[in-house]
Amino acid sequence: MEFVTVPKARTGEKVAVVSPSFAAPAVAAAVHEQAMTRLAAVTGLVPVEYPTTRQLGASAEERAADLNAAFADPEIRAVVATIGGEDQITVIPHLDPRVVVADPKPFVGYSDNTNILNWLWTHGVPGFYGGSTQVQLGPGPRVDPIHQSSLRAALVTGEHLEVTEPGESQDVGHDWNDPRALTEFGSREPTEPWAWAGPARSVTGRTWGGCIEVLQWILTAGRFPADPAILEGGVLLVETSEELIPAQEFGWIMRSLGERGVLAAVDAIVVARPPTSTFTVQPSLAERKAKREEQRDTALAVVGRYNPDAVVVIGPPFGHTRPQWIVPYGGRMTVDGHTSTLYADYS
């Protein structure tokens, strides 16, 4: 499969800020405004909003129109999503592939934005997984350093970075309408070392994957090439959302990816640190650790069944936790089982 080269934005150029799923800025304007200020400060780009960026209940056609307009506008040099949601799958049929192929731009999003990233991927346009402005940029006293460096790399600088463990993690922060949301992080806890499995070799390949619940929808909708061999030699990215699906359900979806041939096709698999709590579900620290270990063990068991030769790492924070790395989607990552290191190419 051929992928195009996506040019980086330059200081002073415009970045589109869109809400292809849930219009979170409509319910938490102060967090959104702080996110826009920080987006400009971190990247040197000028944020541009669209009609549905702050519009609750916008139709799939309206949200798609904003995306098409952003990709078609020559003055827009990058596109970022405010947050995910759960109905972006209905937006995809209304997107125009001609505009993204004619003038490809970096797209940054995660969770439900797996839909857009996969759609871009099928048209040979790489993007970046991560980067919700409403979650990773707006709340808290500052932008986390790993998020800042990977956001700049994705949109502007195109560096080659080692994906490292920040040493702390949170699942949720303060309610967006609580004034503390603008000045304080949520409760953070120390993290565990990543788990490595498979042969002691280094794999460099193009990435595909995303939020595993959304991947299930995408495959059900038939929006992935019929032959999984298209992933040959690649790197599979997998993470779970704030829905906190049980390890057993996670295993069932992974098993389906195995039966589809996806697990056997790739040479490496990266599973993100999963969230284990929400505003309303608050297990103890011991219970949360046990849930992470259960998902880890499930992943290792399923991958071991379908592809024991894959290099596997479990724990890098590129999903629904914070601090968060933004990682290439359709770009290249190196998973080194010999040195237990992970690198991302943002060019």
Side-chain angles (χ1 to χ4, degrees):
M1 183 168 178
E2 297 295 325
F3 283 83
V4 301
T5 298
V6 180
K8 298 300 181 187
R10 295 178 293 184
T11 300
E13 292 185 326
K14 297 176 180 178
V15 53
V17 180
V18 293
S19 297
S21 297
F22 173 53
V27 300
V31 170
H32 175 67
E33 293 295 348
Q34 182 155 282
M36 295 303 94
T37 299
R38 290 174 174 174
L39 176 61
V42 168
T43 65
L45 304 178
V46 180
V48 176
E49 296 186 32
Y50 283 74
T52 65
T53 302
R54 306 193 193 202
Q55 182 184 342
L56 288 175
S59 69
E61 292 85 352
E62 290 171 323
R63 285 174 278 156
D66 282 353
L67 283 164
N68 289 332
F71 280 113
D73 187 343
E75 293 189 355
I76 297 293
R77 302 317 310 157
V79 183
V80 299
T82 61
I83 202 167
E86 51 77 28
D87 74 335
Q88 192 177 100
I89 197 167
T90 65
V91 173
I92 300 302
H94 308 289
L95 297 180
D96 185 351
R98 295 170 298 179
V99 295
V100 300
V101 172
D103 186 13
K105 304 162 186 181
F107 175 82
V108 177
Y110 73 107
S111 192
D112 202 26
N113 291 290
T114 300
N115 284 286
I116 291 175
L117 287 163
N118 173 73
W119 178 80
L120 291 169
W121 189 96
T122 60
H123 289 93
V125 179
F128 296 93
Y129 194 84
S132 160
T133 61
Q134 195 74 12
V135 177
Q136 307 292 342
L137 283 182
R142 63 186 179 277
V143 183
D144 289 299
I146 65 169
H147 193 79
Q148 179 170 311
S149 62
S150 56
L151 179 62
R152 281 185 50 79
L155 297 184
V156 182
T157 61
E159 299 162 81
H160 186 80
L161 300 176
E162 181 179 0
V163 178
T164 56
E165 172 53 57
E168 62 177 7
S169 184
Q170 70 180 59
D171 290 348
V172 294
H174 295 291
D175 183 281
W176 288 332
N177 289 307
D178 184 330
R180 293 177 298 171
L182 298 173
T183 59
E184 298 178 5
F185 290 132
S187 177
R188 296 194 169 189
E189 61 183 309
T191 54
E192 307 87 13
W194 301 348
W196 289 81
R201 65 186 178 105
S202 180
V203 171
T204 298
R206 289 194 180 273
T207 59
W208 177 83
C211 181
I212 198 166
E213 298 103 301
V214 181
L215 291 180
Q216 184 173 225
W217 304 343
I218 288 170
L219 293 171
T220 304
R223 293 177 182 164
F224 180 75
D227 187 355
I230 199 169
L231 294 171
E232 189 85 28
V235 177
L236 175 65
L237 304 174
V238 176
E239 63 103 7
T240 51
S241 77
E242 74 281 0
E243 294 298 319
L244 309 184
I245 62 172
Q248 184 181 51
E249 184 176 351
F250 171 80
W252 289 339
I253 304 174
M254 287 288 287
R255 183 179 64 187
S256 295
L257 292 175
E259 291 295 318
R260 179 70 184 264
V262 169
L263 299 185
V266 298
D267 282 353
I269 298 168
V270 187
V271 183
R273 176 185 175 90
T276 55
S277 65
T278 67
F279 283 116
T280 57
V281 178
Q282 291 288 327
S284 68
L285 289 178
E287 290 170 330
R288 294 179 61 201
K289 184 173 183 292
K291 288 179 180 294
R292 289 192 294 272
E293 291 175 346
E294 187 180 9
Q295 187 182 103
R296 176 201 65 199
D297 294 346
T298 300
L300 292 175
V302 176
V303 174
R305 175 181 175 183
Y306 288 95
N307 189 354
D309 293 326
V311 180
V312 183
V313 59
I314 299 175
F318 65 86
H320 282 71
T321 58
R322 184 178 179 184
Q324 180 207 61
W325 277 97
I326 299 170
V327 295
Y329 192 105
R332 297 190 181 275
M333 291 186 72
T334 297
V335 187
D336 194 328
H338 178 66
T339 60
S340 297
T341 53
L342 183 63
Y343 288 89
D345 184 355
Y346 295 87
S347 61

